[in-house]
Amino acid sequence: MAEIIKQATGIILAGGASSRFGSNKALACWKGEEKLVERVCGVMQSLFAQNVVVVKDIPRFSFLEKLGVVLSQDLFAETHSLGGLCSGLDCAPTERAFVCGCDMPHLQPALVRALWEASAGYDAVVPVWQGRLQPLCGVYSKSCLGVLRSMARERRFKIQELFGIVRTRFFQEEEVRAHDARGLSFCDVDTQEDFLKAKAIA
């Protein structure tokens, strides 16, 4: 069994609006009574000793506390991933963190470990899949916080802008394939149709 990573925090972003899903997708039933966010928490707990879930409404997610994760309030009233990333890094007890969305049920632990191992000397490590950056499956350092806060103040909410400012390692597609041949880690859920497809993979 692979060793738990103690030098980084797992951060799960669950403060989104889920507008295309029609209800809070984090709370959608994944398998039996297990919710989608619980599925992702389970994967993260197999990797990291400390895990934080960033939410807008802490009481609504209080059931997660029994899993041993920490609930953290999203520091931003608006709903955007940059705010979730900033909030998660702000409360992380370690210098670095792996950040993912609550709607990524097929995260591959081997890929997450590879991203972590590639992070030495960088402020951010971001995988590339099918020509696109995947910022919500990446490793970030607290050194990014100053830039993220400035971007939020200026209402520049695209996380991709960060990578032109901080020391970023782009984890190329051929590297990703060595650990996640099908890119399952990037299978996220935006719509009910996406959810059914993700369940079919499971």
Side-chain angles (χ1 to χ4, degrees), residues 56-147:
K56 283 279 197 286
D57 182 354
I58 285 180
R60 197 172 184 192
F61 286 85
S62 60
F63 66 92
L64 290 175
E65 292 173 339
K66 70 180 186 293
L67 301 180
V69 301
V70 173
L71 295 178
S72 180
Q73 181 70 46
D74 192 328
L75 301 174
F76 295 81
E78 309 99 334
T79 301
H80 45 75
S81 298
L82 186 139
L85 171 57
C86 193
S87 301
L89 278 177
D90 186 70
C91 76
T94 55
E95 178 61 29
R96 294 183 189 177
F98 173 80
V99 178
C100 70
C102 67
D103 60 345
M104 301 166 73
H106 300 302
L107 273 174
Q108 299 297 296
L111 176 61
V112 177
R113 289 182 183 280
L115 294 169
W116 161 247
E117 288 165 8
S119 68
Y122 293 95
D123 301 310
V125 180
V126 184
V128 180
W129 184 252
Q130 296 181 344
R132 297 178 63 185
L133 297 178
Q134 302 291 331
L136 294 190
C137 182
V139 177
Y140 296 87
S141 166
K142 280 183 179 282
S143 58
C144 296
L145 273 170
V147 178

Side-chain angles (χ1 to χ4, degrees), residues 161-181:
E161 283 191 36
L162 175 72
F163 308 137
I165 303 169
V166 303
R167 294 169 301 171
T168 302
R169 160 85 152 86
F170 296 108
F171 205 76
Q172 300 299 331
E173 184 161 341
E174 60 270 21
E175 297 177 283
V176 171
R177 287 187 183 279
H179 306 283
D180 183 359

